[in-house]
């Protein structure tokens, strides 16, 4: 059965010495299985706050976060989270880092290792199972973080700027890897980025945020990610004039909301 993760008219405020911070104001979003929702906007727009609410790490000041109508009461195995600086254990092997994520699931060591091997193959790390984290590159670490989130087979992947620290080439490879995982698993994805190109390429729905208060100021639906899933190369998509037009429209949206901010 297809499930839906929603934020419904969510507000989030934080107390601060200089008055209340309105991190999110009236934000609604719906992420079904197979959706790829991307949040784009400058720092301080509330994107990470929204992700942490969807993950159940904290709770809205008003409005609701729910899975199929059930209010989210905390983190759950149905929602896997990937951060930019994934806290991997440097002294453990790649395999053990991924298997560690399954510790609380009450399954045997052999089963954990088998699942870890499967997801490592999914992210292109077959053959690296016994490497230590300290022996592998930044891009490979990010793949381990992704594999760790995938190991519990969540319905949703929530990704907070996971590709931000990577060099340009590795970043492009990771974009297509994440799209491959999305295509092959049918999971719902929520991804935060600062890159317009990444946002337009990867999203089925793009949310543009503005700061103070953090709001969604524009939404776009794109089919570039589905074109990739249907076999077109990322290079060919990026060369399509429609892709350039979409990027320029998003840039216009961002400039406009900055001018009127
Ligand atoms: P983004 O991810 O778009 O950079 P954040 O969600 O991190 O935005 O932050 C939104 C706003 O909320 C910012 O002004 C930030 O300083 C503030 N904020 C975030 N977390 C907290 C917190 N725990 N306490 C106080 N203010 C916070």
């Amino acid at each position: 059965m297809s499930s839906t993760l929603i934020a419904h008219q969510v507000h989030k405020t934080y107390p601060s010495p200089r008055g209340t911070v309105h991190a999110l104001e009236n934000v609604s979003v719906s992420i079904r299985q197979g959706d790829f929702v991307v949040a784009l906007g400058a720092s301080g727009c509330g994107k990470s706050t929204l992700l942490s609410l969807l993950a159940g790490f904290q709770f809205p000041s008003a409005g609701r976060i729910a899975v199929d109508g059930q209010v989210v009461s905390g983190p759950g195995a149905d929602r896997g989270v990937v951060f930019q600086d994934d806290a991997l254990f440097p002294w453990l092997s790649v395999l053990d880092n991924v298997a560690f994520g399954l510790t609380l699931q009450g399954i045997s060591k052999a089963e954990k290792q088998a699942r870890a091997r499967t997801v490592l193959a999914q992210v292109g790390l077959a053959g690296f199972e016994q490497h230590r984290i300290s022996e592998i590159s930044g891009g490979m670490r990010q793949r381990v973080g992704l594999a760790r989130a995938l190991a519990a087979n969540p319905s949703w992947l929530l990704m907070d700027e996971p590709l931000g620290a990577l060099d340009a080439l590795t970043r492009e490879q990771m974009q297509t890897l994440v799209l491959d995982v999305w295509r092959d698993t049918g999971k719902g994805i929520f991804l935060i980025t600062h890159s317009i190109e990444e946002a337009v390429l990867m999203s089925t729905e793009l949310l543009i945020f503005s700061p103070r208060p953090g709001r969604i100021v524009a939404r776009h639906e794109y089919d570039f990610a589905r074109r990739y899933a249907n076999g077109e190369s990322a290079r060919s998509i990026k060369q399509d004039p429609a892709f350039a037009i979409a990027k320029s429209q998003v840039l216009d949206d961002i400039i406009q909301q900055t001018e009127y901010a």
Side-chain angles (χ1 to χ4, degrees):
M1 193 192 84
S2 178
S3 292
T4 310
L5 170 62
I6 62 150
H8 180 69
Q9 296 178 357
V10 162
H11 296 249
K12 180 68 180 174
T13 56
Y14 296 110
S16 98
R18 277 163 277 108
T20 303
V21 177
H22 292 268
L24 287 176
E25 188 175 273
N26 199 25
V27 166
S28 294
V29 56
S30 170
I31 312 165
R32 293 162 304 177
Q33 308 293 274
D35 284 345
F36 202 131
V37 178
V38 174
L40 178 75
S43 291
C45 292
K47 305 180 300 295
S48 297
T49 297
L50 177 58
L51 185 141
S52 73
L53 295 171
L54 291 168
F57 296 146
Q58 49 177 348
F59 301 99
S61 310
R64 125 186 109 82
I65 306 289
V67 171
D68 296 335
Q70 290 273 50
V71 171
V72 163
S73 59
D78 58 338
R79 283 154 287 134
V81 181
V82 184
F83 292 106
Q84 182 180 118
D85 293 315
D86 241 307
L88 302 172
F89 300 116
W91 61 90
L92 290 183
S93 67
V94 164
L95 187 75
D96 286 342
N97 265 277
V98 175
F100 184 84
L102 297 169
T103 302
L104 299 177
Q105 303 237 324
I107 51 178
S108 71
K109 187 171 177 199
E111 165 76 21
K112 276 194 274 192
Q113 295 206 337
R115 273 214 236 168
R117 281 179 199 283
T118 304
V119 289
L120 282 167
Q122 227 170 359
V123 301
L125 286 180
F128 290 92
E129 292 87 352
Q130 298 310 329
H131 283 57
R132 284 174 193 279
I133 296 301
S134 52
E135 293 169 346
I136 62 174
S137 68
M140 289 165 85
R141 287 179 202 189
Q142 210 49 45
R143 288 173 193 234
V144 177
L146 178 58
R148 191 169 59 176
L150 286 169
N153 195 21
S155 300
W156 292 277
L157 276 178
L158 311 175
M159 310 178 82
D160 195 345
E161 186 79 21
L163 314 183
L166 304 176
D167 64 83
L169 188 62
T170 309
R171 186 167 185 154
E172 286 203 6
Q173 289 168 343
M174 280 298 287
Q175 288 168 358
T176 51
L177 178 79
V178 172
L179 283 169
D180 290 343
V181 167
W182 170 70
R183 175 197 61 207
D184 295 343
T185 63
K187 295 185 190 305
I189 298 190
F190 178 79
L191 177 133
I192 294 174
T193 183
H194 285 105
S195 157
I196 292 177
E197 177 165 289
E198 188 164 291
V200 172
L201 175 70
M202 301 180 81
S203 62
T204 56
E205 184 178 16
L206 174 56
L207 313 175
I208 300 175
F209 281 70
S210 81
R212 284 176 291 281
R215 291 171 294 135
I216 297 174
V217 289
R219 294 173 186 263
H220 298 283
E221 290 190 7
Y222 294 122
D223 67 354
F224 302 111
R226 295 203 200 282
R227 279 167 53 178
Y228 175 83
N230 288 332
E232 191 173 345
S233 73
R235 168 163 292 200
S236 140
I237 292 168
K238 288 178 183 178
Q239 284 169 350
D240 181 346
F243 188 75
I245 292 169
K247 280 199 304 181
S248 124
Q249 162 80 61
V250 170
L251 186 59
D252 281 350
D253 287 343
I254 290 173
I255 291 170
Q256 210 175 19
Q257 54 95 357
T258 322
E259 279 173 355
Y260 294 118

